[in-house]
Amino acid sequence: MSQLRKDILTGEWVIFASNRRRKPYHFDMKKTPKKVNDNKDCPFCPGNEDKTPDEIYQNGADGKWNLRLFRNLYPAVDTDSFEKCNEDFYYSEAGIGIHEVLVDTPDHNGDPSQFSEEHMYNVLKVLCYRFTAIEKEEFVKYVQIFKNNGPEAGASIDHSHWQIMGVSVVPLAQEKTARNIKEYRSKKGSCIICDMINYEIKNKTRIVAENQSFVAFVPYAAKLSFELWVVSKRHISSFCKMTDDDLKELSVILKQLLKKVTELREGICYNICFEDSPKGRADEDFHWYMRILPRIGAPAGFEFATGSYINPLLPEAAAEKYRNNDDWSK
Ligand SMILES: [Zn+2]
Ligand SMILES: [Zn+2]
């Protein structure tokens, strides 16, 4: 059972999911974070399928697959969560939703930067298939695809995986982005993200990688030092409106970028967040993009207080280091 409560001062949603207190944790944080379990009791390893809910998708028999998707055993939101608790001027919503896990490698120590391009493409295809199915649910207003890679990025299980959440409210960040995209279009008649990538490609200083369909750059106002945005050059409103060729190109650039990220520091943790349109809103106006967020340094007091980040590295310098594979700490 979970509940969504709205912060009436900021408009942000908080998910209360008491069942997640029972979640296992695979890292020893007292030392430098490192993996503490082996694959014997890892619920995400082949052969241990009975430790997770039944598969929604699996490309092989038990013990013999290389992609497996199932409902999160400790969901932040669920279809039977109808707990609601409005108090006076406070506002809440039932924490109804869908929360799934995609295990993207059968190898307990598998690293996405080492995946073949074909495997990365298959991962993206499965994410796309579930995104489309989850978005069709009437109660779902926004679908978030994300990856927490490593303990500093919030992962509790070390075996590589992705998560997909369909939630019944539109988070404030996506609400604001959709509004800004719409306003820009009504003033200028064009897509702010198309304009942004055209500018970045011309300007070059923040570009990290590029192929036929995608461009990757450190954004002008990057919140984290080595934050990367991966954006399709063609205006594509949603992740799942990409063609197979687009997904192939995306898998190539994603693999290239993850390799660069893992070279920043040994054992670096990172998040990947897909930024999509709130369902039924701004629809064709939105322009899908992906954020890769290497975790060097953590948000602290100022960031929590203001929502504004202090970034010690200018995006132009970060992009140059990525391009040259420089030692970033110099
Ligand atoms: Zn495992
Ligand atoms: Zn666009």
Side-chain angles (χ1 to χ4, degrees):
M1 296 281 267
S2 55
Q3 197 184 99
L4 303 173
R5 291 191 179 184
K6 194 171 201 170
D7 180 328
I8 57 171
L9 293 180
T10 64
E12 275 154 341
W13 290 97
V14 179
I15 301 180
F16 292 87
S18 49
N19 62 335
R20 286 175 71 79
R21 285 200 301 256
R22 299 193 307 270
K23 233 166 46 130
Y25 194 77
H26 281 185
F27 297 95
D28 182 355
M29 291 299 279
K30 288 191 198 98
K31 303 173 196 135
T32 310
K34 63 173 189 176
K35 299 180 177 197
V36 291
N37 76 318
D38 57 32
N39 55 9
K40 266 200 321 290
D41 53 8
C42 169
F44 292 179
C45 270
N48 291 342
E49 291 82 6
D50 59 340
K51 293 184 197 292
T52 61
D54 288 346
E55 73 275 8
I56 295 166
Y57 173 85
Q58 183 173 300
N59 64 353
D62 280 3
K64 295 208 169 74
W65 45 264
N66 60 22
L67 291 173
R68 184 170 194 269
L69 180 132
F70 46 87
R71 190 177 59 80
N72 193 316
L73 187 58
Y74 302 96
V77 286
D78 207 350
T79 43
D80 63 359
S81 301
F82 295 104
E83 203 177 332
K84 204 167 169 173
C85 154
N86 287 333
E87 282 175 41
D88 199 35
F89 49 65
Y90 293 124
Y91 184 72
S92 73
E93 290 267 353
I96 188 166
I98 293 175
H99 191 173
E100 295 178 355
V101 174
L102 170 64
V103 178
D104 57 359
T105 169
D107 177 1
H108 186 71
N109 295 308
D111 175 351
S113 69
Q114 308 290 326
F115 288 179
S116 69
E117 280 160 14
E118 192 194 351
H119 186 68
M120 189 67 94
Y121 165 76
N122 290 334
V123 170
L124 294 173
K125 279 292 272 185
V126 177
L127 290 173
C128 189
Y129 146 66
R130 287 315 295 165
F131 182 101
T132 308
I134 293 171
E135 200 181 38
K136 279 196 186 121
E137 294 289 345
E138 206 180 315
F139 55 84
V140 169
K141 302 259 173 47
Y142 180 71
V143 183
Q144 181 66 57
I145 296 177
F146 62 102
K147 181 172 186 60
N148 301 334
N149 205 76
E152 287 166 19
S156 51
I157 290 188
D158 50 357
H159 192 134
S160 177
H161 63 283
W162 295 77
Q163 298 182 65
I164 314 171
M165 275 174 76
V167 290
S168 58
V169 297
V170 180
L172 185 65
Q174 280 69 30
E175 187 85 62
K176 281 185 184 164
T177 304
R179 201 188 310 143
N180 288 340
I181 286 175
K182 204 166 178 231
E183 270 176 27
Y184 185 92
R185 190 180 283 278
S186 64
K187 270 192 219 140
K188 305 235 178 172
S190 56
C191 163
I192 190 169
I193 294 180
C194 283
D195 287 359
M196 191 191 290
I197 53 175
N198 288 336
Y199 179 82
E200 293 297 338
I201 290 169
K202 209 162 45 178
N203 177 56
K204 292 189 177 68
T205 56
R206 286 177 288 269
I207 300 286
V208 173
E210 192 179 344
N211 64 21
Q212 212 184 324
S213 309
F214 290 88
V215 58
F217 57 98
V218 183
Y220 176 77
K223 290 187 170 74
L224 303 184
S225 291
F226 287 94
E227 177 171 350
L228 285 166
W229 285 16
V230 188
V231 190
S232 64
K233 291 182 180 171
R234 197 156 50 82
H235 182 86
I236 302 176
S237 58
S238 175
F239 170 55
C240 284
K241 291 193 176 153
M242 284 186 204
T243 63
D244 279 356
D245 284 344
D246 290 327
L247 290 179
K248 273 178 198 149
E249 295 270 314
L250 180 59
S251 61
V252 173
I253 203 165
L254 179 56
K255 195 177 132 57
Q256 222 179 323
L257 295 168
L258 292 182
K259 190 158 179 300
K260 284 181 182 288
V261 167
T262 52
E263 280 165 1
L264 289 173
R265 188 172 76 186
E266 204 194 333
I268 193 160
C269 302
Y270 60 85
N271 299 99
I272 300 179
C273 305
F274 286 22
E275 297 291 335
D276 226 295
S277 161
K279 189 168 91 180
R281 206 99 57 84
D283 239 0
E284 289 305 313
D285 282 355
F286 204 86
H287 188 135
W288 180 88
Y289 64 104
M290 177 196 290
R291 295 170 71 199
I292 304 174
L293 301 152
R295 294 299 198 99
I296 294 172
F302 184 78
E303 287 79 1
F304 281 119
T306 63
S308 297
Y309 282 66
I310 302 172
N311 184 342
L313 187 66
L314 276 170
E316 298 75 34
E320 198 180 339
K321 285 178 190 295
Y322 267 132
R323 287 195 299 265
N324 303 333
N325 287 337
D326 279 356
D327 180 351
W328 65 273
S329 55
K330 280 179 195 158

